[in-house]
Short mmCIF file of all heavy atoms in Angstrom, two decimals:
data_model
loop_
_atom_site.label_atom_id
_atom_site.label_comp_id
_atom_site.label_asym_id
_atom_site.label_seq_id
_atom_site.Cartn_x
_atom_site.Cartn_y
_atom_site.Cartn_z
N SER A 546 0.81 -1.18 0.03
CA SER A 546 0.00 0.00 -0.03
C SER A 546 0.87 1.28 -0.06
O SER A 546 1.86 1.34 0.71
CB SER A 546 -0.90 0.01 1.21
OG SER A 546 -1.60 1.28 1.33
N SER A 547 0.48 2.28 -0.78
CA SER A 547 1.23 3.51 -0.85
C SER A 547 0.60 4.62 0.03
O SER A 547 0.94 5.76 -0.03
CB SER A 547 1.29 4.00 -2.27
OG SER A 547 0.01 4.21 -2.85
N ILE A 548 -0.41 4.23 0.81
CA ILE A 548 -1.06 5.20 1.67
C ILE A 548 -0.10 5.92 2.61
O ILE A 548 0.82 5.29 3.15
CB ILE A 548 -2.21 4.53 2.47
CG1 ILE A 548 -3.12 5.63 3.10
CG2 ILE A 548 -1.69 3.60 3.55
CD1 ILE A 548 -4.45 5.07 3.73
N ILE A 549 -0.24 7.18 2.77
CA ILE A 549 0.49 7.90 3.79
C ILE A 549 -0.34 8.08 5.00
O ILE A 549 -1.49 8.58 5.00
CB ILE A 549 0.87 9.35 3.25
CG1 ILE A 549 1.77 9.23 1.99
CG2 ILE A 549 1.57 10.21 4.29
CD1 ILE A 549 2.06 10.55 1.30
N SER A 550 0.18 7.69 6.17
CA SER A 550 -0.53 7.83 7.45
C SER A 550 0.10 9.05 8.20
O SER A 550 1.35 9.17 8.25
CB SER A 550 -0.42 6.55 8.26
OG SER A 550 0.90 6.19 8.53
N ARG A 551 -0.79 9.84 8.74
CA ARG A 551 -0.31 11.03 9.46
C ARG A 551 -1.07 11.28 10.67
O ARG A 551 -2.32 11.15 10.71
CB ARG A 551 -0.44 12.25 8.51
CG ARG A 551 0.03 13.58 9.13
CD ARG A 551 -0.41 14.76 8.23
NE ARG A 551 0.08 14.56 6.84
CZ ARG A 551 -0.57 14.98 5.80
NH1 ARG A 551 -1.71 15.64 5.88
NH2 ARG A 551 -0.08 14.73 4.58
N VAL A 552 -0.38 11.61 11.77
CA VAL A 552 -1.04 12.18 12.97
C VAL A 552 -0.89 13.68 12.89
O VAL A 552 0.24 14.19 12.73
CB VAL A 552 -0.38 11.58 14.24
CG1 VAL A 552 -0.77 12.49 15.44
CG2 VAL A 552 -0.88 10.18 14.54
N SER A 553 -2.02 14.30 12.88
CA SER A 553 -2.02 15.77 12.79
C SER A 553 -2.81 16.38 13.92
O SER A 553 -3.97 16.00 14.19
CB SER A 553 -2.63 16.19 11.44
OG SER A 553 -2.57 17.60 11.27
N GLY A 554 -2.24 17.41 14.60
CA GLY A 554 -2.95 18.03 15.71
C GLY A 554 -3.03 19.52 15.48
O GLY A 554 -2.38 20.10 14.57
N VAL A 555 -3.91 20.15 16.20
CA VAL A 555 -4.05 21.64 16.19
C VAL A 555 -3.11 22.18 17.28
O VAL A 555 -3.24 21.78 18.46
CB VAL A 555 -5.52 22.09 16.45
CG1 VAL A 555 -5.61 23.58 16.51
CG2 VAL A 555 -6.40 21.46 15.32
N LYS A 556 -2.24 23.06 16.89
CA LYS A 556 -1.31 23.68 17.82
C LYS A 556 -2.07 24.76 18.61
O LYS A 556 -2.22 25.89 18.29
CB LYS A 556 -0.09 24.29 17.12
CG LYS A 556 0.98 24.80 18.12
CD LYS A 556 1.65 23.56 18.77
CE LYS A 556 2.89 23.94 19.59
NZ LYS A 556 2.63 24.75 20.80
N PHE A 557 -2.57 24.26 19.82
CA PHE A 557 -3.54 25.09 20.57
C PHE A 557 -2.99 25.62 21.85
O PHE A 557 -3.31 26.67 22.35
CB PHE A 557 -4.79 24.22 20.87
CG PHE A 557 -5.87 24.89 21.64
CD1 PHE A 557 -6.72 25.84 21.06
CD2 PHE A 557 -6.09 24.56 22.95
CE1 PHE A 557 -7.69 26.46 21.79
CE2 PHE A 557 -7.09 25.18 23.72
CZ PHE A 557 -7.91 26.12 23.11
N ALA A 558 -2.12 24.84 22.50
CA ALA A 558 -1.57 25.20 23.87
C ALA A 558 -0.05 25.12 23.84
O ALA A 558 0.56 24.34 23.09
CB ALA A 558 -2.19 24.25 24.87
N LYS A 559 0.56 25.89 24.72
CA LYS A 559 2.03 25.92 24.81
C LYS A 559 2.62 24.63 25.22
O LYS A 559 3.79 24.30 24.94
CB LYS A 559 2.50 27.04 25.72
CG LYS A 559 2.00 26.85 27.18
CD LYS A 559 2.44 28.06 28.02
CE LYS A 559 1.98 27.91 29.48
NZ LYS A 559 2.42 28.98 30.34
N GLU A 560 1.82 23.76 25.93
CA GLU A 560 2.32 22.47 26.40
C GLU A 560 2.49 21.49 25.32
O GLU A 560 3.21 20.47 25.51
CB GLU A 560 1.31 21.89 27.46
CG GLU A 560 1.18 22.67 28.75
CD GLU A 560 0.19 23.78 28.63
OE1 GLU A 560 -0.43 23.99 27.52
OE2 GLU A 560 -0.10 24.45 29.61
N GLN A 561 1.90 21.70 24.15
CA GLN A 561 2.05 20.79 23.01
C GLN A 561 3.46 20.92 22.40
O GLN A 561 3.96 21.99 22.19
CB GLN A 561 1.00 21.11 21.95
CG GLN A 561 -0.43 20.83 22.40
CD GLN A 561 -1.39 21.42 21.38
OE1 GLN A 561 -1.67 22.58 21.39
NE2 GLN A 561 -1.93 20.56 20.54
N SER A 562 4.05 19.75 22.14
CA SER A 562 5.39 19.72 21.57
C SER A 562 5.45 18.73 20.38
O SER A 562 5.02 17.63 20.49
CB SER A 562 6.37 19.25 22.64
OG SER A 562 7.60 18.83 22.06
N LEU A 563 5.95 19.24 19.26
CA LEU A 563 6.13 18.37 18.08
C LEU A 563 7.08 17.22 18.37
O LEU A 563 6.94 16.11 17.88
CB LEU A 563 6.54 19.17 16.88
CG LEU A 563 6.64 18.45 15.56
CD1 LEU A 563 5.28 17.85 15.11
CD2 LEU A 563 7.18 19.34 14.44
N ASP A 564 8.10 17.47 19.18
CA ASP A 564 9.07 16.43 19.51
C ASP A 564 8.38 15.35 20.34
O ASP A 564 8.66 14.14 20.10
CB ASP A 564 10.25 17.03 20.30
CG ASP A 564 11.15 17.90 19.44
OD1 ASP A 564 11.17 17.69 18.21
OD2 ASP A 564 11.91 18.75 19.95
N ASP A 565 7.58 15.75 21.32
CA ASP A 565 6.86 14.77 22.09
C ASP A 565 5.92 13.98 21.19
O ASP A 565 5.80 12.74 21.40
CB ASP A 565 6.04 15.45 23.20
CG ASP A 565 6.90 16.03 24.31
OD1 ASP A 565 8.11 15.60 24.40
OD2 ASP A 565 6.39 16.84 25.08
N MET A 566 5.25 14.63 20.27
CA MET A 566 4.35 13.95 19.34
C MET A 566 5.09 12.90 18.54
O MET A 566 4.60 11.80 18.37
CB MET A 566 3.66 14.99 18.48
CG MET A 566 2.69 15.88 19.17
SD MET A 566 1.11 15.12 19.59
CE MET A 566 0.38 15.06 17.96
N GLU A 567 6.26 13.28 18.06
CA GLU A 567 7.04 12.34 17.20
C GLU A 567 7.51 11.15 18.01
O GLU A 567 7.57 10.06 17.47
CB GLU A 567 8.18 13.08 16.55
CG GLU A 567 7.69 14.05 15.43
CD GLU A 567 8.83 14.81 14.82
OE1 GLU A 567 9.90 14.96 15.44
OE2 GLU A 567 8.73 15.14 13.62
N ARG A 568 7.86 11.39 19.28
CA ARG A 568 8.29 10.25 20.11
C ARG A 568 7.18 9.24 20.34
O ARG A 568 7.37 8.07 20.39
CB ARG A 568 8.85 10.79 21.44
CG ARG A 568 10.30 11.28 21.40
CD ARG A 568 10.85 11.49 22.73
NE ARG A 568 10.25 12.68 23.44
CZ ARG A 568 10.70 13.92 23.31
NH1 ARG A 568 11.84 14.12 22.56
NH2 ARG A 568 10.13 14.90 23.89
N THR A 569 5.94 9.78 20.55
CA THR A 569 4.86 8.90 20.83
C THR A 569 4.22 8.24 19.57
O THR A 569 3.93 7.05 19.51
CB THR A 569 3.74 9.69 21.56
OG1 THR A 569 4.22 10.11 22.81
CG2 THR A 569 2.44 8.83 21.78
N TRP A 570 4.08 9.07 18.51
CA TRP A 570 3.36 8.64 17.31
C TRP A 570 4.21 8.24 16.20
O TRP A 570 3.80 7.55 15.29
CB TRP A 570 2.41 9.75 16.85
CG TRP A 570 1.35 10.18 17.82
CD1 TRP A 570 1.36 11.26 18.68
CD2 TRP A 570 0.11 9.54 18.06
NE1 TRP A 570 0.25 11.34 19.41
CE2 TRP A 570 -0.53 10.29 19.08
CE3 TRP A 570 -0.51 8.43 17.57
CZ2 TRP A 570 -1.82 9.96 19.55
CZ3 TRP A 570 -1.80 8.03 18.05
CH2 TRP A 570 -2.43 8.83 18.98
N GLY A 571 5.50 8.67 16.25
CA GLY A 571 6.35 8.48 15.05
C GLY A 571 6.55 7.06 14.61
O GLY A 571 6.66 6.76 13.44
N GLY A 572 6.48 6.07 15.55
CA GLY A 572 6.70 4.73 15.20
C GLY A 572 5.42 4.08 14.63
O GLY A 572 5.48 2.95 14.18
N LEU A 573 4.28 4.79 14.70
CA LEU A 573 2.99 4.21 14.28
C LEU A 573 2.54 4.86 12.96
O LEU A 573 1.67 4.20 12.29
CB LEU A 573 1.93 4.48 15.33
CG LEU A 573 2.20 3.94 16.72
CD1 LEU A 573 1.05 4.32 17.70
CD2 LEU A 573 2.33 2.41 16.66
N VAL A 574 3.08 5.92 12.52
CA VAL A 574 2.61 6.60 11.33
C VAL A 574 3.76 7.13 10.55
O VAL A 574 4.89 7.17 11.00
CB VAL A 574 1.60 7.81 11.60
CG1 VAL A 574 0.32 7.27 12.25
CG2 VAL A 574 2.34 8.82 12.49
N ASP A 575 3.54 7.51 9.28
CA ASP A 575 4.63 7.99 8.39
C ASP A 575 4.95 9.47 8.71
O ASP A 575 6.10 9.84 8.49
CB ASP A 575 4.14 7.91 6.97
CG ASP A 575 3.76 6.49 6.53
OD1 ASP A 575 4.54 5.53 6.87
OD2 ASP A 575 2.72 6.29 5.91
N GLN A 576 3.97 10.26 9.14
CA GLN A 576 4.20 11.63 9.39
C GLN A 576 3.53 12.12 10.66
O GLN A 576 2.48 11.59 10.98
CB GLN A 576 3.64 12.46 8.19
CG GLN A 576 4.20 12.09 6.85
CD GLN A 576 3.47 12.82 5.70
OE1 GLN A 576 2.49 13.54 5.91
NE2 GLN A 576 3.97 12.64 4.49
N VAL A 577 4.11 13.12 11.31
CA VAL A 577 3.50 13.78 12.41
C VAL A 577 3.53 15.28 12.14
O VAL A 577 4.51 15.82 11.68
CB VAL A 577 4.27 13.48 13.73
CG1 VAL A 577 3.66 14.19 14.93
CG2 VAL A 577 4.31 11.96 13.99
N ALA A 578 2.42 15.95 12.40
CA ALA A 578 2.30 17.31 12.08
C ALA A 578 1.42 18.10 13.01
O ALA A 578 0.57 17.51 13.72
CB ALA A 578 1.80 17.52 10.60
#
């Protein structure tokens, strides 16, 4: 399958971190954003 899987969030609060997101979700999807 050539499907691209992505976890995408709304940057709403200062506590949100792209690095944290990538550590948690990066192994499950192709992209984190």
Side-chain angles (χ1 to χ4, degrees):
S546 172
S547 61
I548 193 171
I549 295 171
S550 59
R551 179 189 307 147
V552 163
S553 181
V555 176
K556 189 67 170 70
F557 180 75
K559 62 182 180 180
E560 294 86 356
Q561 294 168 279
S562 162
L563 185 59
D564 288 338
D565 288 345
M566 292 284 284
E567 288 181 332
R568 278 192 290 271
T569 297
W570 298 100
L573 301 177
V574 294
D575 302 315
Q576 302 173 355
V577 178

